[in-house]
Amino acid sequence: MALITIIVGRAAQFLIALITLRVVTTLLSPEEMGKVALVVTTTAFFALLLINPVGMFINRRLHAWQASGRGVGYLVRYAGYIALVAAIAAVGLPLFVVTGLISFGIPTVWLIALVCGSVIFNTVNQTAIPCLNLLGDSRGFILLTVATLIASFVAAVTLVLTVQRTAEYWMLGILLGQALLALVGTRDLFAQLSRSNTASIQQPIHRQHLRSLFAFSWPVAIAAGLGWVQAQGYRYMMVEDLGLAQVGLFVAGYGLSAGIIAGFESVLTTYFQPRLYRDASATDPQLQTKAWRRYASAVIPSLVLTVGLLVVLAPDLTRLLLGEKFQAAASFVIWGALAEAARVLASVYSLIAHVHMRTRWLIWPNVVGAVISIVACSLLMPVFGAHGAGMGLAAAGALTIVTMHLVLLRKIGGGISARPILVSFALTPAFLAIAMVLRHWLPTASWVTPIATCAVIGLAFLFMQYLLLHKHLEDRP
């Protein structure tokens, strides 16, 4: 029943995300989409470098805090830290604008308001609501996640249609929805933690606690910052070399793949990560490694199959899910699928370091990814345009995974069985053959062709996902 709840909720989330993508690419121009991409990228810099490491520490320690009754006190202090990061962003952003290092295309006041507001409210939203799932409340997690998407979508569309069709008002609407549901999620999380709360909110944080947090977080911060350089730093170079419109087109195609991969990833992480963190709470390194292998055996073959689906259906998905001004983004869907697959694989491998509390293991693989991404994109974009960015991101992702595989698996004595992964790879040509037959038989200009192609291959994909995952669908806390 838990899995059914998760699948239904994630299906709703997935559908809303696809509708949102279609609507935003219909209402906004490629130039305005480029501005959205730059604001999101800038927000991600502060979030990944300064907030994500502490958030990962919270995930790792949440069950222990609940058992000791200290969760509320620690999370209240975390809220103060989030406000500090927002203040740092508010001071730093004008410096980038004044020096002319980055051209955002929107007024500085808007930039500060959107980035700082997102740092606060999106972080609270993405901390409180996922923590409900980690504590076993998957129903509350799903409901609040879907409600966030709906509220953000309604607010964004309303502002864009009634005020102005610009990136600023679209992002403001998204932020309003996140803020509203962040308050609800925080209330529900504190209610759960308070049931076992035996310690005062004013409980002291000792130097030992801070050392433990710092030892865990600083390598994660470096790895996350390097990951940001690898995955998003190219956007600043692209806007200087190719302009906002090309950034918007590329990000739309990339975002289509990213949204679909994130949808399937979220189903798996929602179901399997609570078990991973539960088992990783053991002090035995062998049990921690076993927990990671069980998690990776479920996620990696499923991911490979999803990437194959996107590569095959790229032209059909572009036609259905992007606006008329963004149809040239079809080829970027494939680059996005490859780069996002590398991101998800990297997150799976990084959990080896998280469950063993050895986050320093993550630094060198991310150094490799960041350097290759910047060098490859800077060399390829002048020659191949936006496609050069896709090539650079895919190459950087591949080398990051190879490095992680060599470095991290050596630490734990080996990985998982290759057989399910090879099966997933082998199914991609079968999907392609079905798509080619359908496109040949059905009229090219008709909407029936992409709909039928996506429906038939999608059903085959879901059946194969079930065959890959059914043996892993037990033993959930």
Side-chain angles (χ1 to χ4, degrees):
M1 182 60 69
L3 181 61
I4 294 175
T5 301
I6 291 169
I7 290 176
V8 171
R10 288 305 194 182
Q13 180 183 353
F14 181 63
L15 181 61
I16 295 166
L18 295 182
I19 293 173
T20 300
L21 182 61
R22 175 72 191 196
V23 170
V24 70
T25 54
T26 300
L27 295 178
L28 299 186
S29 67
E31 290 83 0
E32 294 300 320
M33 281 294 294
K35 296 175 185 178
V36 170
L38 292 183
V39 172
V40 171
T41 296
T42 306
T43 302
F45 171 78
F46 293 101
L48 289 173
L49 186 65
L50 298 176
I51 291 178
N52 180 67
V54 182
M56 294 301 297
F57 183 82
I58 289 172
N59 289 346
R60 182 64 178 81
R61 301 294 298 165
L62 186 64
H63 286 93
W65 291 350
Q66 184 188 35
S68 66
R70 298 183 177 184
V72 172
Y74 287 144
L75 289 175
V76 168
R77 286 169 170 80
Y78 179 54
Y81 175 73
I82 294 171
L84 174 62
V85 174
I88 293 172
V91 173
L93 287 172
L95 299 178
F96 285 103
V97 176
V98 170
T99 57
L101 292 176
I102 304 169
S103 177
F104 291 93
I106 64 175
T108 304
V109 173
W110 270 107
L111 178 66
I112 294 173
L114 293 173
V115 171
C116 294
S118 185
V119 164
I120 294 173
F121 293 113
N122 189 42
T123 299
V124 174
N125 186 291
Q126 292 302 308
T127 299
I129 296 175
C131 278
L132 292 174
N133 183 59
L134 290 179
L135 295 176
D137 184 10
S138 57
R139 181 175 178 272
F141 164 70
I142 290 296
L143 289 175
L144 291 177
T145 300
V146 173
T148 298
L149 289 176
I150 294 174
S152 296
F153 175 75
V154 171
V157 172
T158 300
L159 287 175
V160 166
L161 290 179
T162 59
V163 183
Q164 192 174 10
R165 296 193 179 192
T166 62
E168 295 94 307
Y169 286 102
W170 180 268
M171 294 297 297
L172 178 60
I174 298 296
L175 183 59
L176 291 174
Q178 293 171 345
L180 175 63
L181 274 301
L183 297 175
V184 178
T186 301
R187 180 202 63 188
D188 291 353
L189 176 62
F190 278 20
Q192 284 212 23
L193 292 173
S194 296
R195 294 172 190 167
S196 59
N197 189 55
T198 58
S200 168
I201 291 179
Q202 300 301 321
Q203 61 198 353
I205 296 181
H206 300 292
R207 186 173 299 177
Q208 180 182 356
H209 297 146
L210 294 177
R211 280 201 299 264
S212 177
L213 171 61
F214 182 75
F216 179 90
S217 297
W218 76 260
V220 177
I222 294 175
L226 292 169
W228 176 88
V229 172
Q230 175 183 339
Q232 302 192 46
Y234 73 92
R235 294 179 182 180
Y236 295 135
M237 295 188 296
M238 182 181 285
V239 75
E240 293 298 325
D241 293 341
L242 305 176
L244 282 170
Q246 281 297 302
V247 175
L249 285 171
F250 184 87
V251 170
Y254 188 109
L256 197 160
S257 285
I260 292 174
I261 288 178
F264 284 98
E265 178 194 12
S266 65
V267 172
L268 300 179
T269 56
T270 301
Y271 189 82
F272 291 114
Q273 274 197 4
R275 182 176 71 182
L276 170 68
Y277 282 112
R278 179 200 65 187
D279 295 343
S281 297
T283 57
D284 185 348
Q286 291 185 346
L287 293 178
Q288 292 170 340
T289 297
K290 184 178 179 181
W292 177 82
R293 287 196 179 113
R294 190 160 51 234
Y295 178 82
S297 296
V299 173
I300 294 177
S302 176
L303 170 67
V304 171
L305 190 65
T306 305
V307 173
L309 176 81
L310 286 170
V311 169
V312 171
L313 293 182
D316 307 284
L317 292 171
T318 302
R319 188 173 174 187
L320 291 174
L321 300 177
L322 296 182
E324 292 296 328
K325 293 172 286 188
F326 291 82
Q327 293 301 302
S331 57
F332 302 143
V333 174
I334 297 175
W335 294 123
L338 296 175
E340 280 297 296
R343 178 194 63 79
V344 177
L345 277 175
S347 71
V348 173
Y349 277 108
S350 69
L351 287 172
I352 297 174
H354 292 161
V355 299
H356 287 278
M357 299 293 285
R358 300 291 182 87
T359 49
R360 280 177 287 185
W361 294 349
L362 301 175
I363 293 177
W364 282 112
N366 284 280
V367 168
V368 171
V371 171
I372 295 300
S373 175
I374 293 300
V375 171
C377 288
S378 63
L379 292 176
L380 294 172
M381 280 195 298
V383 180
F384 299 102
H387 290 284
M391 297 175 192
L393 293 174
L399 289 174
T400 301
I401 297 307
V402 169
T403 307
M404 283 189 160
H405 187 84
L406 295 175
V407 172
L408 295 178
L409 292 188
R410 186 178 62 184
K411 303 286 188 182
I412 62 172
I416 64 173
S417 171
R419 183 176 178 181
I421 300 174
L422 295 176
V423 170
S424 296
F425 271 115
L427 288 170
T428 300
F431 290 157
L432 180 60
I434 296 171
M436 292 176 65
V437 170
L438 290 172
R439 290 166 187 158
H440 177 73
W441 283 353
L442 296 173
T444 305
S446 174
W447 282 95
V448 174
T449 302
I451 293 173
T453 303
C454 290
V456 172
I457 297 178
L459 289 174
F461 166 80
L462 292 175
F463 177 71
M464 294 309 305
Q465 286 282 19
Y466 173 77
L467 293 181
L468 288 171
L469 291 171
H470 76 277
K471 65 180 180 181
H472 300 285
L473 303 180
E474 299 177 355
D475 188 33
R476 183 177 185 274

